[in-house]
Amino acid sequence: MDGSASGEPPLHPAIAPLSFLLGKWRGQGQGGFPTINAFSYGEELHFSHSGKKGTYNAEEKVIKLQSELVGNASKVREITRVFELKDGELSYVVQMATNLTTLEPHLKALLKKL
């Protein structure tokens, strides 16, 4: 799987264990927070790669991301997103901390690969 047929650079060996993520995923999610009403949403994610090396823990089956910059949200201090692949479906949970709260669940979704 070198990605060249799709116009992407060759897959770097360091991200080979994460290659199951590559492609498009679509599904439904639910959101909420102590300060807002609960809501539902649809989402489509597209994972690609640049051919450069990143970091990951090969022992874990869970991928954890933390935003370094939160645009358009002056009250938001921190956002984390945890992805998990189970039975061919990709789930994630987003937690958010604001100026008034510690990390609290904000979004969760279940996506299927297209």
Side-chain angles (χ1 to χ4, degrees), residues 33 64-71 73-82 93-107:
F33 207 65
K64 298 177 183 177
L65 304 176
Q66 182 163 345
S67 298
E68 294 182 6
L69 177 65
V70 181
S74 60
K75 296 178 182 177
V76 177
R77 287 190 342 236
E78 183 181 359
I79 292 180
T80 64
R81 187 182 294 223
V82 178
V93 174
V94 174
Q95 293 194 75
M96 181 169 67
T98 68
N99 295 336
L100 303 175
T101 67
T102 56
L103 276 175
E104 296 271 351
H106 177 46
L107 305 172

